Every structure is written in C-alpha cells, then in structure tokens.
Amino acid sequence: MSCRKAAHAGSWYSDSSTELSRQLDNWLNAAELIHGPARAIIAPHAGYQYCGACSAYAYRQISPVVVKRVFILGPSHNVRLAGCALSTAAKYITPFYDLTIDTQVYSELEATGQFERMDMDVDEEEHSIEMHLPYIAKVMADYRDSFTIVPVLVGSLSWEREAAYGRLFSRYLADPHNLFVISSDFCHWGHRFRYTFYDPAYGEIHQSIARLDKMGMDLVETLNPSAFTDYLKKLGNTICGRHPIGVLLQAANHLMKAGEHKISLKFLKYAQSSQCRNMNDSSVSYASASLIFE
C-alpha cells in the first residue's frame, strides 16, 4: 500500500502533532460559525504562518458529523496539466493520522476517461492539496475512521473543460455527505510574480490589491462562472486556484439551473502576507469562503 508522505511538514507547517494541534485549535477557536454547515469551502494553501488563521474561518463552517468524503481540488503549480489528475497513493500521511483515499470514487472518476494519474514525485512536490490535509484531519478527528478523501489535482483548464468537470462533480456536490475543499490563494503581487497592477484611486498598493481581490470575491459569491472568467481575463488577477474555483462555480451553477437546489457562497475572511507600499514590495493574498445549500 503506497503512502504519500507529508512532504511539507516541518517547513510549511509543524511536523509536531502537539504543536500543530495547539496552533489549529487557537485559530479555529478565534473563528465564528456564521455560514454553515459548509458543503464546500475555499481556503488558501500557503505556509500556516501566513494563512493558517485565515483558513480557520472556512474550516470552522464544517459539520464533521455529516461528512463521509472530502474532495480536495488543488491547482497544479509544478506540472502543466490540460485536465485533472488523481493520486497513485492509497493514503496521505499527516502529523495527526493517515487519510485514506476513496477507491470507489476514484474508480468512478477514472471510468469517465477525463482523469489521468500523477506520479508520486509530482504528488509530493505539489503543496496545494497537502496544505489542507492537517486542517481536514484536525476538524474530522472525532470521525477519523468514518471518512475518506478524494484528492484531485486541477490543471490549466479551458472554460469548456471547467464546465465539463463542473457537471461531472455536480452529483457529488449534491450529496450532503460530501465536502468540497477548493484550494486557492488570491492575488500574487510583485515583480517576482510578474504582476504589478495598481490603481492609485484606491490608495496605497495594498489597498488597490484588496480592492482587486474584493471584486473577484464578489463575483465568486454570485456563483456566475462566466462573470468570474471575464474578470480574470480583463484584470489578470493572479488567483492560482482560479480553475478549481471555476469548477466549483460550474458545479453549483449546474445544480441551480436544474432547479433543485438553492445555494449560497460567502467570503468570511481576507488577509495579505504583507502590505505592499512600493513597487519593490510583494505579497500574496488569502481568502476563505463557505458554500451552503439553503
């Protein structure tokens, strides 16, 4: 049985279960339950020292007692994919306990012909899925033997492929026992990210970045995938999880068009790694959201 190691433990987050548990408890206790129970969340995937507190606002909305499967859709940072890829591992290791991959759902997804398999080295190098695993393990600790995970690495999808994957995942999103975790940071600003959009009308650079992100967050809340795509094309905001977000919007849109579900998405927390004040600065933005069925 192959296990994917916790490749970023000890660097991006603590490899001590005691220390990590204490940190996550502190962040979760500081967040309020205001838009739950979540059927899907959007949360960042940076080092916990930068985004751990922000992520807690999304994870606080989860009702672990009902969750049987956790789908984790993370963007590919290191390998170019035209579609989506599944892990070759059977388990993902965390400092708390191992998370088991749902082989039944993996078989269902593979049967569609729309998924490839990623090599273990690609899996372990990528951080967008891993950074959510300790939070998932922590929140689900009391039910550790009664849930599985479905990690999916999402490539650079066209709008049409986002729509196709959205339709494919919509039936899983409709199941109240499934939770979707959408992994995304927001604006990556600075010369090192090759993105320096700045509108002085909104004040300092960090205020312009916040305004830019807020525009995108507002459009995500409308659950309109076309409006979000148009925003990205027009302003080029470097939201690294734009394709996983796009898949979620398409899935929700598909269910709403069927007329069977009323869905609401709300952003709960926003943060920046630092406040940019001149053109030599850089920062990454983080945002947490929760999607519920009303």
Side-chain angles (χ1 to χ4, degrees), residues 35-40 173-174 221-223 251-266 290-294:
H35 198 70
R39 296 279 283 275
L173 181 62
E221 286 186 344
T222 69
L223 297 173
N253 203 254
H254 184 75
L255 294 177
M256 291 188 296
K257 283 183 176 178
E260 299 176 7
H261 302 280
K262 186 176 181 182
I263 302 174
S264 169
L265 187 148
K266 182 178 178 63
S290 171
L291 179 147
I292 65 172
F293 281 48
E294 299 178 338

Side-chain angles (χ1 to χ4, degrees), residues 158-215:
S158 65
W159 191 92
E160 290 76 15
R161 295 215 74 184
E162 286 183 3
Y165 282 110
R167 287 192 297 272
L168 191 155
F169 281 116
S170 63
R171 74 180 183 96
Y172 297 103
L173 181 62
D175 186 337
H177 296 299
N178 292 334
L179 170 73
F180 275 74
V181 174
I182 305 301
S183 178
S184 182
D185 296 337
F186 269 67
C187 184
H188 298 60
W189 194 94
H191 290 295
R192 68 190 183 103
F193 299 118
R194 298 187 295 278
Y195 186 75
T196 54
F197 174 85
Y198 173 41
D199 186 343
Y202 294 106
E204 295 196 64
I205 294 172
H206 66 89
Q207 293 171 310
S208 171
I209 295 170
R211 172 63 180 173
L212 175 70
D213 282 330
K214 181 66 163 54
M215 291 171 61

Side-chain angles (χ1 to χ4, degrees), residues 4-107:
R4 182 202 180 278
K5 66 184 179 182
H8 296 82
S11 53
W12 290 50
Y13 58 93
S14 176
D15 56 1
S16 162
S17 60
T18 303
E19 173 63 17
L20 186 58
S21 182
R22 183 192 64 79
Q23 288 179 337
L24 299 189
D25 273 333
N26 287 341
W27 289 326
L28 287 166
N29 289 337
E32 294 183 61
L33 174 57
I34 53 178
H35 198 70
R39 296 279 283 275
I41 62 171
I42 299 171
H45 52 236
Y48 280 9
Q49 63 175 320
Y50 299 109
C51 74
C54 182
S55 293
Y57 283 79
Y59 280 97
R60 181 68 178 84
Q61 314 309 312
I62 295 169
S63 177
V65 66
V66 301
V67 175
K68 301 301 181 185
R69 297 186 193 92
V70 182
F71 289 72
I72 313 149
L73 275 57
S76 177
H77 289 86
N78 305 308
V79 176
R80 185 165 183 82
L81 298 172
C84 293
L86 308 176
S87 177
T88 55
K91 291 180 179 290
Y92 274 31
I93 297 171
T94 81
F96 297 126
Y97 55 90
D98 296 349
L99 303 179
T100 301
I101 289 179
D102 194 305
T103 54
Q104 177 186 334
V105 173
Y106 256 26
S107 295

Side-chain angles (χ1 to χ4, degrees), residues 81-284:
L81 298 172
C84 293
L86 308 176
S87 177
T88 55
K91 291 180 179 290
Y92 274 31
I93 297 171
T94 81
F96 297 126
Y97 55 90
D98 296 349
L99 303 179
T100 301
I101 289 179
D102 194 305
T103 54
Q104 177 186 334
V105 173
Y106 256 26
S107 295
E108 293 170 358
L109 295 179
E110 275 202 304
T112 68
Q114 300 302 310
F115 295 83
E116 59 184 279
R117 291 280 186 165
M118 55 177 150
D119 295 336
M120 185 68 81
D121 57 346
V122 171
D123 198 347
E124 291 180 342
E125 185 179 8
E126 180 56 61
H127 65 275
S128 68
I129 293 172
E130 180 181 338
M131 297 307 296
H132 290 279
L133 303 180
Y135 253 118
I136 292 168
K138 176 66 177 178
V139 171
M140 295 297 298
D142 290 342
Y143 305 91
R144 57 184 291 175
D145 297 321
S146 60
F147 82 99
T148 53
I149 62 170
V150 184
V152 179
L153 193 63
V154 179
S156 300
L157 307 180
S158 65
W159 191 92
E160 290 76 15
R161 295 215 74 184
E162 286 183 3
Y165 282 110
R167 287 192 297 272
L168 191 155
F169 281 116
S170 63
R171 74 180 183 96
Y172 297 103
L173 181 62
D175 186 337
H177 296 299
N178 292 334
L179 170 73
F180 275 74
V181 174
I182 305 301
S183 178
S184 182
D185 296 337
F186 269 67
C187 184
H188 298 60
W189 194 94
H191 290 295
R192 68 190 183 103
F193 299 118
R194 298 187 295 278
Y195 186 75
T196 54
F197 174 85
Y198 173 41
D199 186 343
Y202 294 106
E204 295 196 64
I205 294 172
H206 66 89
Q207 293 171 310
S208 171
I209 295 170
R211 172 63 180 173
L212 175 70
D213 282 330
K214 181 66 163 54
M215 291 171 61
M217 291 156 62
D218 288 347
L219 290 171
V220 172
E221 286 186 344
T222 69
L223 297 173
N224 184 332
S226 296
F228 182 58
T229 298
D230 289 345
Y231 156 84
L232 292 170
K233 287 179 178 177
K234 179 180 179 181
L235 295 170
N237 194 357
T238 46
I239 300 173
C240 58
R242 57 194 175 276
H243 297 300
I245 291 173
V247 171
L248 175 66
L249 296 182
Q250 292 283 1
N253 203 254
H254 184 75
L255 294 177
M256 291 188 296
K257 283 183 176 178
E260 299 176 7
H261 302 280
K262 186 176 181 182
I263 302 174
S264 169
L265 187 148
K266 182 178 178 63
F267 276 91
L268 309 171
K269 187 67 174 178
Y270 175 77
Q272 296 175 351
S273 61
S274 59
Q275 292 191 337
C276 294
R277 300 182 186 280
N278 64 67
M279 297 303 290
N280 293 320
D281 290 339
S282 65
S283 72
V284 179

